[in-house]
């Protein structure tokens, strides 16, 4: 009685068979003509289903929006650090929100901010696509970047690749005759 079809059976007979096997009679397709039922351990089924959904939820990546703030007068060193952080965020699969804040008289020279955002967009071209183009919201300009879809190679810098030892990678392979070594 393991998985085979019994055909059309009276309800009383189906219930009796389920009780004899100490299992449950579960209605699978109530709208079918005649309705389809299965004899199974319903508690075990629900447990396995919950475990499967839990595993699927663990595998999902929650995409977060990471924010990096710039000013029109951001120096070169700070710019490079913030750019490196943006590349890291995008590499991890998160979206990045670039906020450019204007203070005081800087609002009169918004072209400096636009130039800075264009530079950021150009520097991040290989890593991201612009999801929301820069727009002015009050005293700040906001640009939203999404990571490009790339195949992530799982490479760990401290572990040898594909079973090769460090010494094998460092030295070129020696040419040897067949059968010698």
């Amino acid at each position: 009685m393991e998985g085979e079809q019994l055909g059309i059976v009276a309800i009383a007979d189906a219930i009796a068979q389920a009780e004899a096997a100490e299992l449950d009679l579960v209605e699978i397709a109530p709208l079918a003509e005649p309705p389809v039922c299965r004899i199974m351990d319903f508690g075990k089924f629900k447990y396995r289903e919950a475990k499967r959904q839990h595993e699927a939820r663990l595998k999902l990546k929650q995409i977060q929006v990471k924010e990096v703030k710039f000013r029109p007068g951001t120096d070169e060193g700070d710019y490079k650090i913030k750019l490196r952080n943006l590349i890291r965020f995008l590499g991890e699969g998160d979206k990045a929100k670039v906020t450019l804040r204007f203070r005081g008289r800087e609002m009169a020279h918004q072209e400096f901010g636009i130039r800075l955002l264009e530079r950021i967009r150009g520097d991040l071209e290989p890593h991201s696509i612009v999801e929301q183009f820069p727009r002015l919201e009050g005293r700040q300009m906001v640009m939203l970047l999404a990571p490009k879809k790339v195949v992530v190679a799982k490479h760990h810098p401290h572990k040898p690749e594909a079973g090769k030892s460090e010494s094998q990678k460092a030295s070129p392979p020696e040419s040897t005759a067949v059968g010698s070594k």
Side-chain angles (χ1 to χ4, degrees):
M1 191 160 115
E2 197 62 36
E4 77 256 6
Q5 294 184 6
L6 300 176
I8 299 175
V9 178
I11 294 174
D13 293 339
I15 292 172
Q17 287 179 0
E19 286 177 356
E22 296 182 0
L23 295 173
D24 303 311
L25 181 66
V26 181
E27 192 173 30
I28 303 296
L31 300 178
E33 195 54 48
V36 179
C37 296
R38 176 183 281 170
I39 296 174
M40 63 193 287
D41 186 349
F42 191 65
K44 186 187 277 187
F45 171 76
K46 292 291 279 183
Y47 174 76
R48 285 184 179 159
E49 193 68 21
K51 287 293 264 185
R52 193 174 57 77
Q53 287 179 351
H54 178 72
E55 293 291 325
R57 241 182 321 216
L58 287 178
K59 291 177 185 170
L60 285 177
K61 166 84 169 91
Q62 293 291 324
I63 296 177
Q64 295 179 327
V65 179
K66 307 279 183 133
E67 184 176 17
V68 177
K69 295 182 180 180
F70 286 87
R71 293 274 318 281
T74 302
D75 285 333
E76 189 64 26
D78 291 338
Y79 174 82
K80 287 187 177 181
I81 290 171
K82 291 179 183 207
L83 190 70
R84 192 169 53 225
N85 286 337
L86 282 168
I87 291 170
R88 188 186 70 211
F89 296 152
L90 293 166
E92 292 171 355
D94 294 322
K95 292 184 179 183
K97 180 179 177 182
V98 178
T99 304
L100 182 68
R101 188 165 198 111
F102 295 102
R103 291 199 307 211
R105 289 188 211 139
E106 292 172 349
M107 282 299 289
H109 298 286
Q110 294 177 12
E111 66 273 6
F112 292 125
I114 292 171
R115 239 183 276 144
L116 181 64
L117 287 176
E118 289 295 325
R119 180 180 173 198
I120 293 168
R121 188 172 83 179
D123 289 344
L124 293 175
E125 188 71 36
H127 306 283
S128 69
I129 55 172
V130 178
E131 198 168 83
Q132 179 184 355
F133 285 94
R135 69 169 198 256
L136 193 63
E137 297 175 357
R139 290 193 152 272
Q140 59 189 17
M141 277 188 172
V142 176
M143 178 171 64
L144 193 62
L145 302 168
K148 279 191 176 175
K149 303 288 184 216
V150 287
V151 178
V152 179
K154 293 184 180 180
H155 170 70
H156 196 279
H158 301 296
K159 290 187 179 177
E161 294 178 29
K164 292 183 180 178
S165 66
E166 301 265 341
S167 60
Q168 287 176 335
K169 283 193 282 184
S171 64
E174 299 173 17
S175 60
T176 58
V178 178
S180 68
K181 192 159 183 181

